Amino acid sequence: EASILIYDYDGALFSYDLESEQIGWTVKATSPFTEMCANKVTISNGAVYIPFINGEIVAVDNQSGDVFWKSRLGNITDQIVLKDQVPVVNNGKLYITAQNQNGSSNIYALDTKDGSLAWTYKLDTPTNDIPVLFFNNKVFVPSASNLYVFDANTGKVLNQKSFDQSMHSKPVTDGENVFIANEKDVLFALTPDKLDVLWQFKLDENQYNIKERIFSKDKKLYFAAQGTTVSSVYAVDSKTGTQIWKRDFKDDNVEYITEDSDNIWGYTKKGRLFQLDINNGEIAF
């Protein structure tokens, strides 16, 4: 609780103690040429899972920095690229997607005990920089215009749905259904088993690109869309797709949102930090 994790541009991740104002521990990729991480970390059950851009994943003790294990995706000759990923850890496995420089893309499941490969699957399309969703012992993976559903334990493909546009948002769930948006202006509500479309929500004109700016809480969806002139944060009922409120940001784009204590925190491209009341979208500051 008294420390923060910080990525440095040289590819190192370190734990900084706020009380002693000292660096507690540091972890770097094995390759000396790994100049950046390009990903986010996940903390689960006292372990920090750190993906590096060169395909290395390291699990360390979040207090001491002791390394539990190191793993590298693919074969030693593969040029694996991990970018814009968040390790999804659940039920003893870590799920992450990676791109190969030969033009392919894979999802990998690693055992969180030792980093060994549990299963992998080659996706149909090479581009994939969106984190996956674990829900109901299934893994939901967007890849270009497809959404895959895998058995989380075995990697068996349970379902696959194709869309007209590339599905370029993080899939989320309200505990019942799954929600994902395309790269343009439509958010879809899907059944988790058959991927049937329950409803669609269309963004305002000239708005697009929800990407990772989406989360669910108390049967509501909150997401931010960018735009040519106006960027907006939306609140939508997850059952019906009905809009509850919307907050506009003119001549600026919302880059990030998160939730804490019934408030939505975020910042814009022009460096504006904001706080919204999650119930009505009113600006606290």
Side-chain angles (χ1 to χ4, degrees):
E1 294 181 354
S3 299
I4 58 175
L5 296 173
I6 303 175
Y7 261 131
D8 204 346
Y9 275 109
D10 66 358
L13 181 134
F14 59 90
S15 175
Y16 183 78
D17 191 296
L18 297 172
E19 294 179 348
S20 65
E21 298 183 359
Q22 300 289 325
I23 294 176
W25 50 263
T26 302
V27 174
K28 293 184 178 182
T30 302
S31 171
F33 304 108
T34 304
E35 297 178 351
M36 63 178 178
C37 65
N39 301 280
K40 298 177 183 178
V41 302
T42 296
I43 302 177
S44 178
N45 294 326
V48 185
Y49 299 93
I50 310 163
F52 292 95
I53 193 171
N54 66 345
E56 291 184 44
I57 300 177
V58 183
V60 305
D61 186 299
N62 74 315
Q63 295 296 321
S64 66
D66 293 338
V67 175
F68 294 129
W69 50 260
K70 293 182 179 181
S71 184
R72 192 183 189 283
L73 302 180
N75 299 320
I76 193 65
T77 57
D78 292 340
Q79 296 294 317
I80 300 293
V81 178
L82 276 172
K83 190 174 182 181
D84 298 328
Q85 288 296 311
V86 182
V88 174
V89 178
N90 211 307
N91 201 27
K93 290 185 177 62
L94 180 151
Y95 305 94
I96 199 165
T97 56
Q99 299 179 37
N100 303 327
Q101 290 188 353
N102 62 11
S104 63
S105 180
N106 284 60
I107 176 172
Y108 296 88
L110 305 182
D111 192 312
T112 54
K113 292 181 179 179
D114 55 13
S116 61
L117 180 66
W119 56 265
T120 185
Y121 184 90
K122 184 177 180 180
L123 302 169
D124 291 337
T125 53
T127 303
N128 196 332
D129 58 356
I130 299 294
V132 305
L133 168 68
F134 180 98
F135 175 54
N136 273 358
N137 209 33
K138 302 180 181 69
V139 182
F140 297 79
V141 183
S143 180
S145 60
N146 298 307
L147 178 64
Y148 296 86
V149 184
F150 296 93
D151 182 286
N153 294 319
T154 66
K156 178 183 177 181
V157 179
L158 302 177
N159 208 337
Q160 178 182 347
K161 186 177 181 67
S162 296
F163 296 83
D164 293 334
Q165 302 287 338
S166 177
M167 305 309 289
H168 207 246
S169 86
K170 179 177 69 175
V172 298
T173 181
D174 65 349
E176 294 184 28
N177 297 308
V178 173
F179 308 89
I180 188 170
N182 63 21
E183 64 181 351
K184 291 193 174 180
D185 57 1
V186 179
L187 174 69
F188 296 88
L190 308 172
T191 60
D193 296 324
K194 297 183 179 181
L195 299 182
D196 293 331
V197 177
L198 298 172
W199 53 257
Q200 300 179 35
F201 181 89
K202 195 174 188 303
L203 303 174
D204 282 0
E205 188 176 359
N206 295 323
Q207 289 191 342
Y208 51 87
N209 197 22
I210 292 174
K211 207 171 181 182
E212 294 183 45
R213 294 174 285 271
I214 182 171
F215 66 88
S216 176
K217 183 178 181 181
D218 298 331
K219 303 302 179 183
K220 298 179 181 64
L221 295 171
Y222 303 91
F223 51 90
Q226 298 188 336
T228 54
T229 58
V230 178
S231 179
S232 301
V233 178
Y234 293 82
V236 170
D237 186 291
S238 67
K239 284 284 191 181
T240 63
T242 303
Q243 180 177 304
I244 302 171
W245 56 258
K246 179 168 69 77
R247 173 59 57 186
D248 293 335
F249 294 81
K250 294 184 179 179
D251 300 319
D252 202 357
N253 270 320
V254 176
E255 292 288 311
Y256 176 84
I257 60 170
T258 189
E259 185 273 335
D260 184 71
S261 302
D262 287 335
N263 287 283
I264 297 175
W265 295 84
Y267 58 81
T268 68
K269 187 175 183 178
K270 293 183 178 179
R272 179 185 179 185
L273 178 68
F274 61 84
Q275 176 188 359
L276 306 179
D277 187 316
I278 201 171
N279 298 303
N280 52 32
E282 291 183 359
I283 296 179
F285 79 85

PDB file of all heavy atoms in Angstrom, residues 74 78-81 98-106 108 122 126:
ATOM      1  N   GLY A  74       6.521 -18.102 -27.621  1.00  0.00           N
ATOM      2  CA  GLY A  74       7.030 -18.578 -28.901  1.00  0.00           C
ATOM      3  C   GLY A  74       8.354 -19.308 -28.776  1.00  0.00           C
ATOM      4  O   GLY A  74       8.862 -19.543 -27.674  1.00  0.00           O
ATOM      5  N   ASP A  78      11.462 -17.138 -32.930  1.00  0.00           N
ATOM      6  CA  ASP A  78      10.308 -16.288 -33.238  1.00  0.00           C
ATOM      7  C   ASP A  78      10.571 -14.846 -32.813  1.00  0.00           C
ATOM      8  O   ASP A  78      11.197 -14.590 -31.783  1.00  0.00           O
ATOM      9  CB  ASP A  78       9.053 -16.787 -32.522  1.00  0.00           C
ATOM     10  CG  ASP A  78       8.575 -18.119 -33.064  1.00  0.00           C
ATOM     11  OD1 ASP A  78       8.965 -18.443 -34.197  1.00  0.00           O
ATOM     12  OD2 ASP A  78       7.837 -18.820 -32.351  1.00  0.00           O
ATOM     13  N   GLN A  79      10.080 -13.915 -33.602  1.00  0.00           N
ATOM     14  CA  GLN A  79      10.144 -12.505 -33.246  1.00  0.00           C
ATOM     15  C   GLN A  79       8.773 -12.100 -32.715  1.00  0.00           C
ATOM     16  O   GLN A  79       7.906 -11.652 -33.443  1.00  0.00           O
ATOM     17  CB  GLN A  79      10.534 -11.671 -34.465  1.00  0.00           C
ATOM     18  CG  GLN A  79      11.919 -11.974 -34.997  1.00  0.00           C
ATOM     19  CD  GLN A  79      13.008 -11.590 -34.010  1.00  0.00           C
ATOM     20  OE1 GLN A  79      12.961 -10.530 -33.398  1.00  0.00           O
ATOM     21  NE2 GLN A  79      13.987 -12.458 -33.846  1.00  0.00           N
ATOM     22  N   ILE A  80       8.581 -12.304 -31.411  1.00  0.00           N
ATOM     23  CA  ILE A  80       7.301 -12.039 -30.770  1.00  0.00           C
ATOM     24  C   ILE A  80       7.242 -10.582 -30.326  1.00  0.00           C
ATOM     25  O   ILE A  80       8.206 -10.038 -29.786  1.00  0.00           O
ATOM     26  CB  ILE A  80       7.091 -12.957 -29.556  1.00  0.00           C
ATOM     27  CG1 ILE A  80       7.117 -14.424 -29.988  1.00  0.00           C
ATOM     28  CG2 ILE A  80       5.787 -12.636 -28.836  1.00  0.00           C
ATOM     29  CD1 ILE A  80       5.966 -14.832 -30.869  1.00  0.00           C
ATOM     30  N   VAL A  81       6.101  -9.955 -30.556  1.00  0.00           N
ATOM     31  CA  VAL A  81       5.897  -8.578 -30.120  1.00  0.00           C
ATOM     32  C   VAL A  81       4.681  -8.524 -29.208  1.00  0.00           C
ATOM     33  O   VAL A  81       3.582  -8.916 -29.604  1.00  0.00           O
ATOM     34  CB  VAL A  81       5.689  -7.636 -31.322  1.00  0.00           C
ATOM     35  CG1 VAL A  81       5.432  -6.210 -30.830  1.00  0.00           C
ATOM     36  CG2 VAL A  81       6.903  -7.655 -32.235  1.00  0.00           C
ATOM     37  N   ALA A  98      -0.289 -11.919 -28.609  1.00  0.00           N
ATOM     38  CA  ALA A  98       0.984 -11.399 -29.098  1.00  0.00           C
ATOM     39  C   ALA A  98       1.013 -11.474 -30.616  1.00  0.00           C
ATOM     40  O   ALA A  98       0.368 -12.329 -31.228  1.00  0.00           O
ATOM     41  CB  ALA A  98       2.148 -12.190 -28.517  1.00  0.00           C
ATOM     42  N   GLN A  99       1.775 -10.577 -31.202  1.00  0.00           N
ATOM     43  CA  GLN A  99       1.960 -10.569 -32.645  1.00  0.00           C
ATOM     44  C   GLN A  99       3.342 -11.113 -32.994  1.00  0.00           C
ATOM     45  O   GLN A  99       4.297 -10.893 -32.262  1.00  0.00           O
ATOM     46  CB  GLN A  99       1.816  -9.141 -33.188  1.00  0.00           C
ATOM     47  CG  GLN A  99       0.454  -8.525 -32.944  1.00  0.00           C
ATOM     48  CD  GLN A  99       0.358  -7.106 -33.459  1.00  0.00           C
ATOM     49  OE1 GLN A  99       0.912  -6.781 -34.504  1.00  0.00           O
ATOM     50  NE2 GLN A  99      -0.323  -6.255 -32.729  1.00  0.00           N
ATOM     51  N   ASN A 100       3.407 -11.835 -34.102  1.00  0.00           N
ATOM     52  CA  ASN A 100       4.675 -12.318 -34.623  1.00  0.00           C
ATOM     53  C   ASN A 100       5.091 -11.446 -35.798  1.00  0.00           C
ATOM     54  O   ASN A 100       4.245 -11.000 -36.573  1.00  0.00           O
ATOM     55  CB  ASN A 100       4.560 -13.778 -35.086  1.00  0.00           C
ATOM     56  CG  ASN A 100       4.093 -14.691 -33.981  1.00  0.00           C
ATOM     57  OD1 ASN A 100       4.407 -14.467 -32.821  1.00  0.00           O
ATOM     58  ND2 ASN A 100       3.338 -15.715 -34.346  1.00  0.00           N
ATOM     59  N   GLN A 101       6.370 -11.219 -35.935  1.00  0.00           N
ATOM     60  CA  GLN A 101       6.839 -10.379 -37.026  1.00  0.00           C
ATOM     61  C   GLN A 101       6.688 -11.046 -38.386  1.00  0.00           C
ATOM     62  O   GLN A 101       6.874 -10.408 -39.414  1.00  0.00           O
ATOM     63  CB  GLN A 101       8.293  -9.959 -36.780  1.00  0.00           C
ATOM     64  CG  GLN A 101       8.437  -8.971 -35.639  1.00  0.00           C
ATOM     65  CD  GLN A 101       9.835  -8.400 -35.519  1.00  0.00           C
ATOM     66  OE1 GLN A 101      10.746  -8.837 -36.201  1.00  0.00           O
ATOM     67  NE2 GLN A 101       9.997  -7.418 -34.651  1.00  0.00           N
ATOM     68  N   ASN A 102       6.317 -12.337 -38.384  1.00  0.00           N
ATOM     69  CA  ASN A 102       6.042 -13.008 -39.661  1.00  0.00           C
ATOM     70  C   ASN A 102       4.617 -12.744 -40.141  1.00  0.00           C
ATOM     71  O   ASN A 102       4.202 -13.252 -41.180  1.00  0.00           O
ATOM     72  CB  ASN A 102       6.295 -14.509 -39.555  1.00  0.00           C
ATOM     73  CG  ASN A 102       5.380 -15.185 -38.542  1.00  0.00           C
ATOM     74  OD1 ASN A 102       4.416 -14.601 -38.049  1.00  0.00           O
ATOM     75  ND2 ASN A 102       5.686 -16.442 -38.228  1.00  0.00           N
ATOM     76  N   GLY A 103       3.856 -11.965 -39.370  1.00  0.00           N
ATOM     77  CA  GLY A 103       2.525 -11.575 -39.815  1.00  0.00           C
ATOM     78  C   GLY A 103       1.385 -12.287 -39.138  1.00  0.00           C
ATOM     79  O   GLY A 103       0.217 -12.002 -39.416  1.00  0.00           O
ATOM     80  N   SER A 104       1.653 -13.209 -38.216  1.00  0.00           N
ATOM     81  CA  SER A 104       0.587 -13.931 -37.528  1.00  0.00           C
ATOM     82  C   SER A 104       0.386 -13.373 -36.124  1.00  0.00           C
ATOM     83  O   SER A 104       1.151 -12.553 -35.634  1.00  0.00           O
ATOM     84  CB  SER A 104       0.913 -15.424 -37.453  1.00  0.00           C
ATOM     85  OG  SER A 104       2.092 -15.637 -36.690  1.00  0.00           O
ATOM     86  N   SER A 105      -0.681 -13.843 -35.481  1.00  0.00           N
ATOM     87  CA  SER A 105      -1.004 -13.415 -34.131  1.00  0.00           C
ATOM     88  C   SER A 105      -1.541 -14.607 -33.355  1.00  0.00           C
ATOM     89  O   SER A 105      -2.280 -15.428 -33.898  1.00  0.00           O
ATOM     90  CB  SER A 105      -2.050 -12.290 -34.155  1.00  0.00           C
ATOM     91  OG  SER A 105      -2.380 -11.871 -32.864  1.00  0.00           O
ATOM     92  N   ASN A 106      -1.156 -14.716 -32.081  1.00  0.00           N
ATOM     93  CA  ASN A 106      -1.569 -15.844 -31.246  1.00  0.00           C
ATOM     94  C   ASN A 106      -2.096 -15.362 -29.908  1.00  0.00           C
ATOM     95  O   ASN A 106      -1.695 -14.312 -29.405  1.00  0.00           O
ATOM     96  CB  ASN A 106      -0.390 -16.793 -30.977  1.00  0.00           C
ATOM     97  CG  ASN A 106      -0.044 -17.661 -32.156  1.00  0.00           C
ATOM     98  OD1 ASN A 106       0.290 -17.162 -33.224  1.00  0.00           O
ATOM     99  ND2 ASN A 106      -0.113 -18.962 -31.974  1.00  0.00           N
ATOM    100  N   TYR A 108      -2.040 -16.742 -26.002  1.00  0.00           N
ATOM    101  CA  TYR A 108      -1.289 -17.683 -25.173  1.00  0.00           C
ATOM    102  C   TYR A 108      -1.935 -17.769 -23.794  1.00  0.00           C
ATOM    103  O   TYR A 108      -2.389 -16.757 -23.239  1.00  0.00           O
ATOM    104  CB  TYR A 108       0.163 -17.232 -25.008  1.00  0.00           C
ATOM    105  CG  TYR A 108       0.965 -17.205 -26.287  1.00  0.00           C
ATOM    106  CD1 TYR A 108       0.975 -16.070 -27.086  1.00  0.00           C
ATOM    107  CD2 TYR A 108       1.720 -18.302 -26.681  1.00  0.00           C
ATOM    108  CE1 TYR A 108       1.712 -16.027 -28.259  1.00  0.00           C
ATOM    109  CE2 TYR A 108       2.466 -18.269 -27.855  1.00  0.00           C
ATOM    110  CZ  TYR A 108       2.451 -17.127 -28.635  1.00  0.00           C
ATOM    111  OH  TYR A 108       3.192 -17.101 -29.789  1.00  0.00           O
ATOM    112  N   LYS A 122      -3.468 -19.940 -32.909  1.00  0.00           N
ATOM    113  CA  LYS A 122      -3.142 -18.969 -33.933  1.00  0.00           C
ATOM    114  C   LYS A 122      -4.420 -18.335 -34.470  1.00  0.00           C
ATOM    115  O   LYS A 122      -5.300 -19.022 -34.993  1.00  0.00           O
ATOM    116  CB  LYS A 122      -2.366 -19.633 -35.075  1.00  0.00           C
ATOM    117  CG  LYS A 122      -1.906 -18.656 -36.141  1.00  0.00           C
ATOM    118  CD  LYS A 122      -1.088 -19.368 -37.209  1.00  0.00           C
ATOM    119  CE  LYS A 122      -0.631 -18.388 -38.286  1.00  0.00           C
ATOM    120  NZ  LYS A 122       0.162 -19.069 -39.334  1.00  0.00           N
ATOM    121  N   PRO A 126      -3.602 -11.041 -38.318  1.00  0.00           N
ATOM    122  CA  PRO A 126      -2.334 -10.741 -37.651  1.00  0.00           C
ATOM    123  C   PRO A 126      -2.405  -9.640 -36.611  1.00  0.00           C
ATOM    124  O   PRO A 126      -1.609  -9.612 -35.678  1.00  0.00           O
ATOM    125  CB  PRO A 126      -1.422 -10.334 -38.808  1.00  0.00           C
ATOM    126  CG  PRO A 126      -2.346  -9.805 -39.849  1.00  0.00           C
ATOM    127  CD  PRO A 126      -3.585 -10.631 -39.738  1.00  0.00           C
TER     128      PRO A 126
END
